[in-house]
């Protein structure tokens, strides 16, 4: 989608600190990190949200594979981490392009807000 923020990051029209990339997904550091490690994993193809995705197993599987790899590369796999997909207004989604938050590097409280 032309004016989507994360599509523009995929096209390198907006700067981001990219930490991993493959044919399907891109991972980059969140601009407002909520933990020492806070990375967003997105599908390169525009999809508005988890609710809108046509092939959830395929797309979320590819995102989970990248999240696992990035967590290991960031050194947080041993201590643990959290993966979150916010969906829609009540879910706290503010950017309309499906993304998975990978958070780690501190003890994360539960339940979330
Ligand atoms: P959500 O609230 O689940 O939609 O999460 C959107 C996330 O995108 C937030 O954590 C923002 O800090 C992050 N974000 C917004 N703009 C950028 C950007 N230009 N680069 C990296 N992360 C961003």
């Amino acid at each position: 989608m032309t004016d989507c923020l994360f599509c523009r990051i995929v096209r390198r029209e907006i700067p981001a600190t990219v930490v991993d990339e493959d044919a399907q997904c891109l991972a980059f550091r969140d601009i407002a990190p909520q933990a020492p490690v806070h990375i967003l994993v997105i599908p390169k193809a525009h999809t508005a949200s988890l609710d809108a995705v046509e092939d959830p197993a395929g797309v979320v599987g590819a995102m989970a594979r990248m999240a696992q790899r990035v967590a290991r590369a960031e050194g947080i796999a041993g201590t643990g981490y959290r993966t979150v997909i916010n969906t829609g207004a009540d879910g706290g989604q503010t950017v309309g392009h499906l993304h998975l938050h990978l958070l780690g590097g501190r003890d994360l409280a539960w339940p979330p807000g």
Side-chain angles (χ1 to χ4, degrees):
M1 187 181 279
T2 311
D3 57 352
C4 166
L5 174 65
F6 287 174
C7 287
R8 297 189 69 193
I9 288 176
V10 171
R11 294 197 302 266
R12 307 303 205 267
E13 293 172 3
I14 292 175
T17 305
V18 172
V19 297
D20 201 353
E21 180 171 18
D22 63 19
Q24 280 181 277
C25 296
L26 186 73
F28 53 93
R29 295 197 190 282
D30 196 291
I31 203 167
Q34 302 301 309
V37 175
H38 187 175
I39 289 164
L40 302 175
V41 179
I42 67 168
K44 288 182 173 178
H46 182 82
T47 307
S49 72
L50 182 60
D51 189 59
V53 73
E54 290 182 7
D55 172 27
V59 174
V60 177
M63 295 165 72
R65 183 174 55 220
M66 181 167 286
Q68 183 195 63
R69 188 165 69 222
V70 171
R72 291 174 180 174
E74 292 287 320
I76 57 172
T79 48
Y81 54 87
R82 182 169 298 162
T83 51
V84 176
I85 298 176
N86 295 327
T87 303
D90 277 3
Q93 183 177 5
T94 61
V95 176
H97 181 130
L98 175 61
H99 51 281
L100 177 152
H101 295 259
L102 170 65
L103 298 140
R106 68 171 171 84
D107 191 7
L108 297 160
W110 189 263

